Amino acid sequence: MTQASFWQNQAQAPKQTLAARIGDLAGGGVVGALAVGFCILLLAIAIFGPLTNLLLWTVAEQWYFPHTFPARYGFDFWARVFHPDGNAFVSLRYSLVIAVLTVIFCLSLAIPAGYALARLALPARALILLVFLVPQAFPNIPVHINIARVFYQLDLHGTVGAVVLVHTLHGMVYAVWIATAAFGAVDKTLEEAARDIGAGPIRTFFTITLPSAMPGIIASAIFVFLESLDEFTGTYFVGAPEITTLPMLMFRAGMEGNYQVASITALVLLVPSVLFMIVVERFLRADVLAAVGR
Amino acid sequence: MATDAILSVRDLSVAYGQTRILDGISLDLEQGEFLALLGRSGCGKTTLLRTIGGFMRPEHGQVRIDGVDVTRLSPEARPTAMVFQSYALWPHMTVFGNIAYGLKLRGVPKPEITRRIDEVLALLRLDGLADRKVTALSGGQRQRVALGRALAVAPRLLLLDEPLSNLDARIRLDLRHEIRDLLKRLGVTAVHVTHDREEAMVMADRLALMNGGQIVQQGAPAELYDRPASSFVADFMGASNIITLDVRHADDGLIVEGPGIAPARISAAAGSCTVGDNCARADIHFRSAQARIEASGAAVDDELSLPGVILQATYPGDSYRYAVQVGHDRFLVDDIRKFSEGEAVRIVLPAGAIHLFPHVDAQSAA
């Protein structure tokens, strides 16, 4: 085939969807259609299978080995989990208190850090940004074991403060990176206009720069909040057994074979994640997102 | 100079690292005067404006406003207000919030703020838009809000940084007159940066044409237009047809001639070539509209006649525009009469249309 005819053939070939390609590979026609259907089914099972299992467990009161489906359905375990004296409420309170404190602590560091990284001519700026990634890059367990050791010596182990510190360590990468991008996306002439009209640098920051960067800051707060809510290993090594967050409760219930409690807790943890992701999608503008990590 | 000068700039030099942007600028501006800083991009006009506004520190030199040395003061400490090219309106505030910002800062009481903003909005024909988000406004409206924000604080000196360059051509033409009218009514002293000659001439009382970090000529619009002091000014002010010819001195005037061009006696030509010895060769600048085209006939006294061929005839409106080839040069000449392409003609320049300057090589002129 000559060069020219090759390009012509390329141009003539219509764009094929993945489904159409699979159908063709299976020989087309009825067989092809069946093959496509089968692939979709496999995909659906892969995605929804575990979720269905989880949902079933939340409403299963009796479910023994040989049976494919639970023997008895009901909301008995919901009542037990959400009993005012139950573990779930204690865990929920721990989780929320720790998440809120983590967000406050993270942002109080990330806002000045992000502003400095975005606006000041700092040497080794890229290196500083990279340092915040380090806790995520190293294997989690050795890092947490060492932190736990240090906290034991400082008599911090098993306190809410210790857990907040560990969660902050993980949240900082989101908070600082997104805050840096958010401040970087604020048009400098907006600040110049405020200075020009008579505002000092501090007033300019609080009335112009911070409000302009606020959508990005809120998005980073949500990421930190979700990260804290879901965090397990750090909490386990630094907080257990005194601090029992929702993931800890879920873990313990799962280990004890109490799948109903574990599933209900998982479902509860899913709610803020889904809600907040919808919010984040609204707040995080494309230009901020594109600048993350730069 | 004058003691009642609002703005007085003395020997100002600004550099970015090693690059010198402004080189010994001196400037005075009186109460109520509207000055346009005109020049191509990179000539330093915006840097001069930003140095006056306090956004850049000069290497040396002085900026005085109302007799007070503000050279080392930050922008918020200066009695200036700027209208930015991008408007720089705060998107998280309403129109009211944007304009009220400066007044709130100054501790103006609430009822007074409301009263003054109503006044500003009426002045700028923005009535009823006070509670609108600035992001919901059109370009022209945003421009007026930016102007209102600057005017609301009653600055001693208004700085305009290419305020019209982001607008549609039509709106731009209207706003030129509107802004000039408004500033004159309010008696505001203003410095306006632009690269648009016509805009500068329409809006300003005085032009300062800049090139390479220096002011090359200052004066009323008509002065720069009719009596450009250099080849650069003539070119910028629209006399951009250039032909290089030999010049001799005669009893009462100059004799101009060149290869293929009959000697012509010119009694009085504008430009800096009246004293002979510095320009045995001279650049003659002329405007398309001030020359005319003749089909034939002999040269007349006090007119320069350039024989050529019409390459292209177009009609942009009002009159025909001809591209005429003369020797190796090509000129644009407007004439209301119709000639056809390929026709042999003469470009006739009356003495008044001629601006004569000592010849500069293309390299050194750049």
Side-chain angles (χ1 to χ4, degrees), chain B residues 73-278:
Chain B
L73 295 184
S74 52
E76 63 265 26
R78 299 184 184 206
T80 56
M82 193 186 284
V83 176
F84 291 80
Q85 184 173 7
S86 60
Y87 316 141
L89 297 177
W90 302 305
H92 58 286
M93 296 183 193
T94 58
V95 170
F96 184 93
N98 267 276
I99 302 178
Y101 188 83
L103 297 173
K104 282 184 190 152
L105 271 176
R106 284 161 176 73
V108 178
K110 256 230 161 87
E112 171 74 8
I113 291 183
T114 319
R115 197 186 60 73
R116 269 172 67 180
I117 287 182
D118 283 344
E119 219 177 274
V120 169
L121 289 178
L123 209 58
L124 293 164
R125 298 192 288 108
L126 289 166
D127 325 58
L129 296 180
D131 297 323
R132 200 74 78 77
K133 275 260 181 190
V134 292
T135 43
L137 300 179
S138 72
Q141 287 170 332
R142 285 180 202 204
Q143 210 289 327
R144 289 205 289 265
V145 174
L147 189 61
R149 180 175 68 184
L151 289 175
V153 298
R156 289 295 287 156
L157 182 62
L158 182 70
L159 307 173
L160 303 158
D161 183 10
E162 307 222 11
L164 304 180
S165 62
N166 284 338
L167 296 171
D168 293 342
R170 281 283 300 280
I171 300 171
R172 194 158 56 210
L173 294 183
D174 291 343
L175 268 176
R176 279 177 188 173
H177 297 279
E178 204 179 308
I179 291 177
R180 174 175 168 86
D181 181 50
L182 181 68
L183 298 188
K184 282 291 149 193
R185 255 193 297 155
L186 298 174
V188 175
T189 315
V191 182
H192 175 211
V193 159
T194 181
H195 58 263
D196 185 332
R197 170 175 61 84
E198 224 180 278
E199 183 183 305
M201 291 181 73
V202 167
M203 290 177 74
D205 302 318
R206 184 149 61 97
L207 309 184
L209 181 58
M210 293 183 66
N211 187 32
Q214 291 177 321
I215 294 176
V216 289
Q217 194 176 355
Q218 267 193 76
E223 195 181 324
L224 264 73
Y225 193 80
D226 294 333
R227 290 191 299 282
S230 68
S231 186
F232 175 82
V233 180
D235 194 12
F236 197 95
M237 298 305 286
S240 43
N241 285 314
I242 306 170
I243 183 166
T244 307
L245 295 174
D246 296 321
V247 177
R248 279 187 286 122
H249 269 264
D251 295 338
D252 50 351
L254 301 161
I255 307 275
V256 181
E257 63 184 325
I261 293 158
R265 200 186 57 80
I266 306 293
S267 58
S272 57
C273 226
T274 38
V275 197
D277 48 356
N278 68 338

Side-chain angles (χ1 to χ4, degrees), chain A residues 17 33 56 70 80 99 101 151-152 156 167 172 199 202 204 214-215 218 225 228 276-278 280 287 292-293:
Chain A
T17 62
L56 276 178
R80 216 185 296 174
L101 286 177
F151 281 4
Y152 261 125
L156 269 174
H167 287 193
M172 277 306 267
I202 293 169
T204 301
M214 201 40 97
I218 289 173
F225 186 85
S228 167
F276 277 136
M277 285 324 280
I278 293 168
V280 164
D287 56 338
V292 168

Side-chain angles (χ1 to χ4, degrees), chain A residues 2 6 9 16 18 27 38 55 62 69 98 120 123 153 182-183 199 212 238 253 259-260 275 293:
Chain A
T2 67
F6 172 78
N9 282 346
Q16 240 185 350
L18 185 62
F38 183 68
L55 280 177
Q62 278 183 349
F69 288 104
I98 288 168
L120 310 179
Q153 281 169 345
F183 281 118
S212 301
V238 167
Y259 297 126
Q260 287 92 339
L275 280 184

Side-chain angles (χ1 to χ4, degrees), chain A residues 249-263:
Chain A
L249 178 75
M250 192 168 70
F251 175 70
R252 203 175 297 160
M255 291 312 279
E256 288 165 0
N258 200 342
Y259 297 126
Q260 287 92 339
V261 174
S263 300

Side-chain angles (χ1 to χ4, degrees), chain B residues 5-25:
Chain B
I6 292 225
L7 170 72
S8 163
V9 174
R10 282 288 162 272
D11 195 28
L12 199 69
S13 292
V14 176
Y16 268 129
Q18 291 297 310
T19 325
R20 177 66 63 88
I21 310 288
L22 293 182
D23 192 7
I25 298 265

Side-chain angles (χ1 to χ4, degrees), chain A residues 14-276:
Chain A
K15 279 222 161 181
Q16 240 185 350
T17 62
L18 185 62
R21 208 169 295 173
I22 291 167
D24 281 355
L25 278 176
V30 181
V31 184
L34 279 176
V36 172
F38 183 68
C39 285
I40 292 173
L41 188 70
L42 272 186
L43 201 66
I45 289 172
I47 294 172
F48 295 109
L51 278 178
T52 314
N53 189 44
L54 187 135
L55 280 177
L56 276 178
W57 268 116
T58 63
V59 291
E61 283 182 6
Q62 278 183 349
W63 195 353
Y64 302 116
F65 162 64
H67 303 282
T68 320
F69 288 104
R72 211 170 73 220
Y73 295 95
F75 287 93
D76 215 22
F77 279 93
W78 284 82
R80 216 185 296 174
V81 168
F82 287 102
H83 192 271
D85 303 329
N87 290 335
F89 271 106
V90 177
S91 297
L92 187 64
R93 224 189 63 223
Y94 267 129
S95 273
L96 290 180
V97 166
I98 288 168
V100 168
L101 286 177
T102 304
V103 167
I104 292 170
F105 193 41
C106 249
L107 288 192
S108 63
L109 294 173
I111 287 173
Y115 182 77
L117 285 165
R119 279 296 146 87
L120 310 179
L122 293 178
R125 189 178 158 278
L127 198 71
I128 295 171
L129 276 174
L130 208 61
V131 163
F132 289 106
L133 193 63
V134 167
Q136 314 280 24
F138 280 116
N140 260 327
I141 290 176
V143 172
H144 287 142
I145 287 176
N146 278 294
I147 292 174
R149 233 190 85 79
V150 174
F151 281 4
Y152 261 125
Q153 281 169 345
L154 298 174
D155 218 11
L156 269 174
H157 193 278
T159 62
V160 170
V163 177
V164 168
L165 279 177
V166 170
H167 287 193
T168 302
L169 185 70
H170 286 282
M172 277 306 267
V173 66
Y174 300 109
V176 171
W177 282 32
I178 298 175
T180 304
F183 281 118
V186 178
D187 185 356
K188 263 187 200 144
T189 57
L190 296 184
E191 294 167 2
E192 285 183 346
R195 296 291 298 276
D196 186 60
I197 223 83
I202 293 169
R203 187 191 283 263
T204 301
F205 178 79
F206 283 107
T207 57
I208 306 298
T209 318
L210 192 58
S212 301
M214 201 40 97
I217 305 280
I218 289 173
S220 79
I222 289 172
F223 275 114
V224 170
F225 186 85
L226 293 181
E227 167 75 11
S228 167
L229 217 55
D230 285 345
E231 211 284 339
F232 174 74
T233 49
T235 319
Y236 183 81
F237 282 105
V238 167
E242 290 90 343
I243 311 294
T244 51
T245 58
L246 279 178
M248 300 275 282
L249 178 75
M250 192 168 70
F251 175 70
R252 203 175 297 160
M255 291 312 279
E256 288 165 0
N258 200 342
Y259 297 126
Q260 287 92 339
V261 174
S263 300
I264 291 168
T265 318
L267 211 60
V268 169
L269 275 174
L270 209 62
V271 173
S273 298
V274 172
L275 280 184
F276 277 136

